Amino acid sequence: DGGITQSPKYLFRKEGQNVTLSCEQNLNHDAMYWYRQDPGQGLRLIYYSQIVNDFQKGDIAEGYSVSREKKESFPLTVTSAQKNPTAFYLCASEIEDNYEQYFGPGTRLTVT
Amino acid sequence: GDSVTQMEGPVTLSEEAFLTINCTYTATGYPSLFWYVQYPGEGLQLLLKATKADDKGSNKGFEATYRKETTSFHLEKGSVQVSDSAVYFCALRGLTGGGNKLTFGTGTQLKVEL
């Protein structure tokens, strides 16, 4: 089955630690995205990548980093510089010019 | 910049009631418009879309019409079911400043009761 996988579903970390969230897709989509969702808010774009080895900052990139070494993978690192890292993180991919984004199941990160 | 405004929830309806969730937008030109649905603890799923004025998107009994004159894309369903309980997000795909970006509304929670 084609789709987007995110792991783990729940992640707990201590303040001051970096943590990497996994996102893998087997849809052969070129573009991939990371969003953050907070209660009562819409999704906010963190980073996106339209092609391997290239990525752009979204609206709230501070305290986050990404890499795109393979078409299938777009991991997100939440660094200790992110002031409020506790949130639900969603990864998405999109086929070129289709305008439809397909979302993974999300990772809920809790930092204490 | 681009923005999407949705009616605040939660919206609570009885099964078989008529549903309307309002969505208006601000954007330059003719953006593409979307409705996504999020079930508890899950990611978002595309529900329907419209890419030009007067287009009607439809799926699973839900409909929305792209109204350029009122900059709206209201979601409707004639008869809701308990299984429709979820959070619904209106979104637009703009044409300016990073054209691949989706701008989302804050979401409207729908609760359908027996």
Side-chain angles (χ1 to χ4, degrees), chain A residues 3-57:
Chain A
I4 302 175
T5 57
Q6 291 186 244
S7 59
K9 190 169 181 63
Y10 299 95
L11 192 53
F12 298 88
R13 282 293 182 271
K14 294 292 187 184
E15 195 173 313
Q17 293 179 333
N18 292 353
V19 59
T20 297
L21 282 60
S22 167
C23 177
E24 304 280 332
Q25 55 102 357
N26 61 4
L27 300 168
N28 200 35
H29 289 172
D30 294 309
M32 296 186 74
Y33 303 79
W34 274 106
Y35 294 92
R36 170 181 172 138
Q37 185 178 21
D38 295 286
Q41 297 190 33
L43 278 66
R44 293 183 289 170
L45 182 64
I46 305 172
Y47 268 97
Y48 66 100
S49 168
Q50 295 177 256
I51 196 169
V52 173
N53 293 323
D54 187 47
F55 47 83
Q56 287 79 40
K57 293 181 180 180

Side-chain angles (χ1 to χ4, degrees), chain B residues 70-83:
Chain B
T70 55
T71 61
S72 65
F73 193 54
H74 304 322
L75 182 68
E76 296 181 335
K77 186 175 185 182
S79 176
V80 293
Q81 306 299 312
V82 172
S83 58

Side-chain angles (χ1 to χ4, degrees), chain A residues 93-110:
Chain A
S93 69
E94 179 186 274
I95 196 167
E96 188 176 358
D97 296 332
N98 180 273
Y99 297 167
E100 294 179 14
Q101 292 191 8
Y102 296 81
F103 285 79
T107 292
R108 187 166 298 281
L109 173 66
T110 302

Side-chain angles (χ1 to χ4, degrees), chain A residues 9 31 33 35 37 40-45 48 50 59 88 90 94 98-106 108, chain B residues 32 34 36 38 41-46 49 51 87 89 93 95 97-107:
Chain A
K9 190 169 181 63
Y33 303 79
Y35 294 92
Q37 185 178 21
Q41 297 190 33
L43 278 66
R44 293 183 289 170
L45 182 64
Y48 66 100
Q50 295 177 256
D59 297 322
F88 189 49
L90 288 161
E94 179 186 274
N98 180 273
Y99 297 167
E100 294 179 14
Q101 292 191 8
Y102 296 81
F103 285 79
R108 187 166 298 281
Chain B
S32 295
F34 306 83
Y36 282 86
Q38 184 179 35
E42 298 183 8
L44 276 67
Q45 302 174 23
L46 178 65
K49 72 174 185 180
T51 58
V87 180
F89 290 92
R93 171 74 166 267
L95 304 176
N100 294 339
K101 174 185 170 182
L102 277 177
T103 299
F104 287 86
T106 54

